[in-house]
Amino acid sequence: MSELSAPVLEAPELMATEEVVALTKRLNYGTWRYQKSWKPLHVVDAEGCYFTDAAGKRYLDFSSQLMCVNLGHKNKAVIEAIKQQAETLPYIMPGYATTARAELSKLLLEVLPAGLEKFFFTTSGTEANEAAFKIARMYTGKSKIIARYRSYHGSTHGSIAATGDPRRWATEPGGKAPNILFSPEVNCYKCPIKHAYPGCGIACADYLEHMIENEHDVAAVIVEPVVGTNGVLIPPPEYFPKLREICDRRGVLLIADEVMAGWGRTGEWFSVDHWGVKPDILVTAKGITSAYVPLGLCATSAKIGEYFEDHYFAHGHTYEAHPLTLAPGIAAIKEMQRLDLVHRSREMGEYLGEKLRALKAKHPSIGDVRGLGLFWAVELVRDQTSKAPLNTMQDKVDGVPMVTEKVAAAMMQRGVTMQAWTSHFVIAPPLIIEKSEIDLGVEALDQSLAIADEFVASLG
Ligand SMILES: Cc1ncc(COP(=O)(O)O)c(C=O)c1O
């Protein structure tokens, strides 16, 4: 046995749950929150659409964690791919070719919108957006990026500056990345510029064009084609073709952030596929490996790729094209194909949508229910006419206890977990979910909404 061979490790003594939680809380940051109230649950196992805490209680994962475990937990093929890659070639620097890299790149050509043919791999969605911004600026020689208010693009310097939601606010005093502007989002339930579809003629896109014209130096427009955390906002059919035409006419790149909406979530491989629109750059992460390992992707058009044949590509990471992240990506795509999950998302989405819509008739606190595929939002309101939210973005930043969080906590007690935002929930179960599990999740929501209904009743 060589000196470098691994010694046989003794199984570590299992820590008591109290210690696990106490150490986690004391030595780690809880993200996007006040630390004082953080009480992390000790999770010990996860399989299919469920995860299990240390006390043995099982939870239906009704939002696929952070809308990312699209294949469900413990998919065997993905786990096997991680093991095999770890045994073959756990790391090699990005300058080399690897089989995993070549195979994943070839598979991506099958599933991405046509025309996206040159890839830069990252280890998160935010890094993939940073890459997109740099590439767009290098390629166009222009500086400005237009994003939209109801959006999230990640937590690092450029991506948080392009984030329209309040997660951006805290970075501003320290100096937000320059040259990023915001246009109004598409929100036909509550239009930010007070228009009504279809009479509006898609005025929000016209406004965006007005910005491009007047700002002049615009490199790219970035949109979540179906907005994720900020409320599963689905554009009307005319929006994307119109935006594509505006960008083409004005010589501006269109970046589709499909970090959350990609990988079958909306019932197509990518949400832009619903409108047949081809972005110049598509950014994704999360479902690309079902989140088993951290992988992000910035995919550009062949034309952008060609530009860098004779221009310096000034970007890179130690972990770019990390083999251990790429091999499970291959397995995840093949599993999606084998299980026909894009189709399944569409079918099960219709079932889930019908059940969620039925809740609206029963609960005065529900203002809107909307979704595509297995990607749904239930928006809560103080009253259905004014559409005023139960809590505001300012409440969230101020640490005010949110009604949605109380509802989500009640759901957890009933054994179902779901992502709660300021005044809505994002429901996005694993794409392998069964009808009986959808029934269970919706039933828990139905019961837990009593809390929101009581709050609305208390307003008088
Ligand atoms: C649309 C969108 N873009 C970017 C990101 C950032 O991805 P990551 O958390 O992997 O950096 C997210 C994360 O939720 C997202 O939803």
Side-chain angles (χ1 to χ4, degrees):
M1 188 165 134
S2 97
E3 265 180 45
L4 290 177
S5 298
V8 177
L9 295 176
E10 278 177 29
E13 250 180 60
L14 283 185
M15 277 187 196
T17 285
E18 295 71 39
E19 196 182 356
V20 169
V21 172
L23 283 172
T24 305
K25 185 174 161 58
R26 180 159 62 85
L27 301 175
N28 293 222
Y29 285 106
T31 53
W32 307 115
R33 60 171 306 123
Y34 286 69
Q35 301 300 299
K36 206 171 172 180
S37 58
W38 186 33
K39 292 195 196 94
L41 180 73
H42 182 194
V43 175
V44 294
D45 197 4
E47 180 138 21
C49 294
Y50 295 86
F51 63 91
T52 309
D53 71 15
K57 180 171 173 181
R58 279 199 338 150
Y59 301 86
L60 176 68
D61 192 350
F62 220 27
S63 298
S64 306
Q65 299 300 294
L66 295 172
M67 291 63 90
C68 54
V69 187
N70 291 9
L71 286 172
H73 299 275
K74 270 198 200 162
N75 176 287
K76 290 211 165 31
V78 180
I79 293 171
E80 197 48 40
I82 297 170
K83 283 189 195 164
Q84 279 186 15
Q85 190 62 46
E87 280 170 4
T88 316
L89 183 67
Y91 176 74
I92 201 81
M93 68 180 199
Y96 295 113
T98 64
T99 308
R101 189 174 188 171
E103 268 187 28
L104 178 58
S105 300
K106 200 164 136 224
L107 256 185
L108 286 171
L109 294 178
E110 268 179 45
V111 299
L112 284 170
L116 295 168
E117 295 176 13
K118 192 90 169 175
F119 309 131
F120 180 86
F121 296 103
T122 66
T123 47
S124 63
T126 194
E127 286 170 312
N129 275 323
E130 298 285 352
F133 297 160
K134 272 178 85 172
I135 289 170
R137 285 169 170 152
M138 287 190 277
Y139 174 74
T140 59
K142 296 190 249 175
S143 70
K144 291 179 186 166
I145 309 277
I146 299 182
R148 301 182 304 188
Y149 279 109
R150 292 269 296 252
S151 69
Y152 180 68
H153 296 295
S155 60
T156 52
H157 195 55
S159 308
I160 197 69
T163 288
D165 84 30
R167 284 173 278 190
R168 182 190 77 252
W169 297 350
T171 65
E172 298 202 325
K176 171 178 163 306
N179 293 329
I180 300 182
L181 305 119
F182 294 97
S183 79
E185 59 278 358
V186 188
N187 182 352
C188 295
Y189 172 64
K190 216 175 161 191
C191 176
I193 48 175
K194 307 271 187 289
H195 283 51
Y197 176 79
C200 62
I202 321 296
C204 51
D206 291 329
Y207 189 97
L208 209 151
E209 180 169 20
H210 182 67
M211 288 180 71
I212 294 174
E213 185 175 9
N214 287 281
E215 289 294 337
H216 183 63
D217 183 35
V218 179
V221 170
I222 181 166
V223 291
E224 290 173 73
V226 170
V227 172
T229 338
N230 279 278
V232 191
L233 301 172
I234 301 155
E238 301 89 334
Y239 182 82
F240 264 98
K242 182 164 177 165
L243 184 59
R244 179 69 273 183
E245 189 276 321
I246 291 170
C247 288
D248 285 342
R249 190 158 34 78
R250 298 277 175 191
V252 168
L253 299 180
L254 179 58
I255 305 174
D257 180 342
E258 297 258 2
V259 169
M260 194 178 280
W263 305 107
R265 176 53 60 204
T266 67
E268 292 283 352
W269 276 98
F270 294 91
S271 62
V272 274
D273 296 338
H274 284 283
W275 304 284
V277 163
K278 315 238 176 304
D280 301 289
I281 301 180
L282 184 146
V283 168
T284 189
K286 295 192 189 261
I288 189 170
T289 61
S290 248
Y292 289 22
V293 294
L295 176 62
L297 168 71
C298 173
T300 78
S301 67
K303 197 169 165 207
I304 295 176
E306 273 158 31
Y307 172 84
F308 289 102
E309 288 297 310
D310 295 314
H311 293 85
Y312 187 57
F313 184 79
H315 198 50
H317 298 289
T318 304
Y319 296 154
E320 200 264 332
H322 192 301
L324 213 45
T325 66
L326 304 182
I330 301 165
I333 294 175
K334 287 189 175 162
E335 280 296 88
M336 285 197 59
Q337 290 171 328
R338 183 180 71 83
L339 300 167
D340 196 15
L341 290 186
V342 175
H343 183 231
R344 189 187 169 86
S345 167
R346 218 173 301 149
E347 268 185 13
M348 287 296 177
E350 273 171 31
Y351 183 75
L352 172 60
E354 241 172 64
K355 299 212 71 159
L356 291 175
R357 283 201 187 100
L359 292 186
K360 192 177 166 196
K362 287 173 72 178
H363 295 281
S365 58
I366 297 185
D368 197 28
V369 172
R370 53 185 175 258
L372 253 187
L374 279 170
F375 202 19
W376 286 82
V378 173
E379 180 156 342
L380 304 185
V381 288
R382 286 171 181 249
D383 86 81
Q384 292 172 335
T385 312
S386 76
K387 302 178 182 175
L390 292 193
N391 286 103
T392 62
M393 295 194 287
Q394 190 62 52
D395 289 343
K396 174 127 187 117
V397 174
D398 291 344
V400 172
M402 317 280 279
V403 180
T404 48
E405 281 166 8
K406 288 180 192 157
V407 174
M411 295 259 304
M412 249 187 124
Q413 285 199 330
R414 296 186 163 94
V416 180
T417 59
M418 186 185 66
Q419 286 299 324
W421 193 234
T422 47
S423 203
H424 62 260
F425 306 104
V426 178
I427 299 171
L431 309 184
I432 58 166
I433 195 162
E434 300 287 348
K435 283 187 176 164
S436 57
E437 292 164 334
I438 289 178
D439 294 347
L440 206 124
V442 175
E443 170 73 27
L445 177 60
D446 189 11
Q447 290 169 2
S448 307
L449 277 170
I451 293 171
D453 292 341
E454 273 163 31
F455 176 81
V456 167
S458 75
L459 300 171

